[in-house]
Amino acid sequence: MYEQSLESLFQKYIDKSISPSEKQEFFRLLNQPGSMKLLRDYGEKYNIPDRLFTELPDDKAKEILKAILQGSDENATIDNHTRHVSWVRLAAAAVFVLAFISGFYYLSSRKVNPDAEKTVSNVRPKTKIQPGHQGLVLTLNDGKKIILDTVKDGIVATQNHVKIIKKNGIISYVGAGMQTAYNTASTDKGRRYRVLLPDGTQVWLDAASSIRYPLAFNEKQRVVNITGQAYFEVAKNPEQPFIVKINDGATQVEVLGTHFNINAYPDEDQITTTLLEGKVKISNQSGSKLLQPGQQAQLVNKGQIKIVENVNLNEVTAWKDNQFYFVSTDIKTIMRQASRWYDADVEYRANINDRFNAEIPASINISDFLKTLELTGKVKFTIENKKIIVTQ
């Protein structure tokens, strides 16, 4: 019965269909005697490389397990039962499971370049680079700016008979306003925030992003302007289409009620719109295209719209859930995301052509983030003040 339960939960864990209660039970079973042998058996059954099973020193096991679990549901469960846990066994099992899912192989110390870990670890106490957090600058119609990081929950402003309310990391609007009055919500590097627009649409803003919107949607269309990256869950209103204008407005996305992500950072190679639910139309001077769920529109060749099928939606929207998710991703794309979230500059002193797969909590220290990449043996980093230097 124990073996059947462990294998069943193992399968659910790797295909990400496991529930929070099942996840708790799974990590409890991993601490049972014989669990590592069973995982080795599953490795053979599912053709998983044997090198993923690694015996770790106790201190290293604690460090890696903490990095794996930080920011996840199982974190509290493990911490509350630490005195009952065999750290080495549980860490080795957890390392295996994470490695299988993410594609990162946590190897024994003899297989990891010792200088790689030392490089990043030694700068941790002195580094000025910290992970980002919830934060937003709200610019009112009269130009007044409110830094929401610094104000308490409650009514933060009233304009045109509309109350702006902050609660649990979200701002929302209550009251009837005027179409001609606008607000702009913007995030700096190292900040993310969620905004509830006057029509009930939810918008998640990634770091270094903004959205401009009216205090009331009284026209035939609901029109907003964005820069950077934003995830939308649009309130349905078939009689009043929702329009997102991107950057200078040359490209726009029209929806009736849907979930989608727009990445329009100026330092990315292209603007992308990815649809999760519903239907959207992408339009610019080159024409228009309809998107179906799971598709992504990419602006290429000076505005031509290219449709990509079967996009990895986890990779696209992981930032909204405070995660990094990389699938065969090049180092410069990874470091652009890290630069925005950790508010750091990046300098390249080597040409890294490898691609990386990983799922990493965005809550971890920059040193742990970089160390995770270094353990692949493909790249090295050093930190100088607020600059990350990439070497090989």
Side-chain angles (χ1 to χ4, degrees), residues 286-347:
S286 69
S288 63
K289 298 279 188 180
L290 285 175
L291 276 187
Q292 301 296 331
Q295 292 182 331
Q296 181 180 87
Q298 300 176 349
L299 298 189
V300 298
N301 299 327
K302 297 182 179 180
Q304 295 296 316
I305 303 172
K306 175 184 176 182
I307 303 299
V308 178
E309 304 282 349
N310 302 317
V311 176
N312 189 317
L313 300 180
N314 287 330
E315 183 179 13
V316 173
T317 63
W319 67 268
K320 181 178 71 73
D321 299 317
N322 209 34
Q323 296 280 327
F324 292 102
Y325 195 103
F326 306 122
V327 180
S328 189
T329 307
D330 64 273
I331 193 64
K332 289 190 176 180
T333 298
I334 290 174
M335 296 313 296
R336 284 196 296 269
Q337 292 187 32
S339 173
R340 287 191 287 263
W341 181 237
Y342 290 99
D343 190 11
D345 296 323
V346 180
E347 177 182 332

Side-chain angles (χ1 to χ4, degrees), residues 328-375:
S328 189
T329 307
D330 64 273
I331 193 64
K332 289 190 176 180
T333 298
I334 290 174
M335 296 313 296
R336 284 196 296 269
Q337 292 187 32
S339 173
R340 287 191 287 263
W341 181 237
Y342 290 99
D343 190 11
D345 296 323
V346 180
E347 177 182 332
Y348 295 90
R349 296 183 182 174
N351 186 20
I352 311 296
N353 295 316
D354 296 287
R355 290 183 172 267
F356 300 80
N357 302 289
E359 183 175 0
I360 308 172
S363 57
I364 66 174
N365 183 282
I366 185 63
S367 299
D368 292 328
F369 175 89
L370 298 177
K371 185 189 298 182
T372 303
L373 296 175
E374 284 189 342
L375 287 173

Side-chain angles (χ1 to χ4, degrees), residues 46-308:
Y46 297 106
N47 297 318
I48 299 169
D50 184 66
R51 70 178 183 272
L52 298 186
F53 300 95
T54 304
E55 293 301 326
L56 302 171
D58 187 65
D59 59 342
K60 178 57 64 178
K62 291 181 181 181
E63 181 181 347
I64 293 180
L65 182 60
K66 180 180 179 181
I68 291 173
L69 298 181
Q70 188 171 359
S72 66
D73 293 336
E74 59 265 33
N75 189 34
T77 302
I78 299 302
D79 286 348
N80 290 339
H81 296 81
T82 298
R83 63 183 181 276
H84 301 301
V85 171
S86 167
W87 278 100
V88 175
R89 186 188 306 120
L90 184 54
V95 167
F96 156 70
V97 173
L98 184 70
F100 177 74
I101 294 172
S102 70
F104 270 162
Y105 296 162
Y106 289 84
L107 308 180
S108 63
S109 58
R110 69 180 183 277
K111 295 180 181 178
V112 175
N113 184 341
D115 293 332
E117 184 175 340
K118 185 186 301 182
T119 301
V120 176
S121 299
N122 287 346
V123 302
R124 183 184 305 174
K126 297 182 290 184
T127 183
K128 298 179 181 179
I129 304 174
Q130 300 298 325
H133 59 268
Q134 295 292 306
L136 185 80
V137 177
L138 182 64
T139 304
L140 306 182
N141 191 61
D142 61 4
K144 178 183 178 181
K145 295 182 182 295
I146 301 174
I147 302 175
L148 292 184
D149 310 39
T150 63
V151 298
K152 297 179 180 179
D153 282 5
I155 299 173
V156 298
T158 300
Q159 53 180 340
N160 299 114
H161 308 291
V162 175
K163 294 179 181 178
I164 304 173
I165 300 172
K166 175 189 175 185
K167 184 178 180 180
N168 298 328
I170 306 172
I171 61 166
S172 60
Y173 291 76
V174 177
M178 298 185 299
Q179 177 79 22
T180 54
Y182 285 83
N183 282 182
T184 299
S186 57
T187 55
D188 294 326
K189 282 188 173 183
R191 304 289 186 271
R192 288 175 179 151
Y193 214 82
R194 180 150 58 116
V195 180
L196 187 63
L197 299 183
D199 68 333
T201 292
Q202 295 190 76
V203 183
W204 284 258
L205 286 179
D206 201 356
S209 303
S210 71
I211 180 169
R212 182 176 184 269
Y213 52 91
L215 288 182
F217 293 103
N218 296 326
E219 304 295 330
K220 292 182 179 180
Q221 297 178 332
R222 295 171 286 168
V223 180
V224 301
N225 294 74
I226 72 156
T227 64
Q229 179 160 232
Y231 177 86
F232 289 82
E233 292 186 0
V234 177
K236 294 183 178 180
N237 185 351
E239 302 302 320
Q240 194 180 33
F242 194 95
I243 307 292
V244 181
K245 293 187 176 183
I246 301 171
N247 295 337
D248 59 3
T251 300
Q252 68 178 34
V253 177
E254 178 180 348
V255 305
L256 294 178
T258 188
H259 298 185
F260 61 98
N261 189 87
I262 297 175
N263 186 330
Y265 285 115
D267 60 349
E268 295 292 344
D269 294 336
Q270 56 200 2
I271 294 173
T272 62
T273 300
T274 308
L275 182 63
L276 286 80
E277 179 183 310
K279 185 181 294 185
V280 301
K281 181 171 73 173
I282 314 299
S283 304
N284 63 12
Q285 73 279 2
S286 69
S288 63
K289 298 279 188 180
L290 285 175
L291 276 187
Q292 301 296 331
Q295 292 182 331
Q296 181 180 87
Q298 300 176 349
L299 298 189
V300 298
N301 299 327
K302 297 182 179 180
Q304 295 296 316
I305 303 172
K306 175 184 176 182
I307 303 299
V308 178

Side-chain angles (χ1 to χ4, degrees), residues 25-44:
E25 174 64 9
F26 178 50
F27 275 85
R28 187 188 70 80
L29 292 178
L30 286 179
N31 191 47
Q32 299 300 312
S35 63
M36 280 302 295
K37 181 182 183 303
L38 289 174
L39 285 182
R40 288 179 184 275
D41 294 340
Y42 302 155
E44 294 178 2

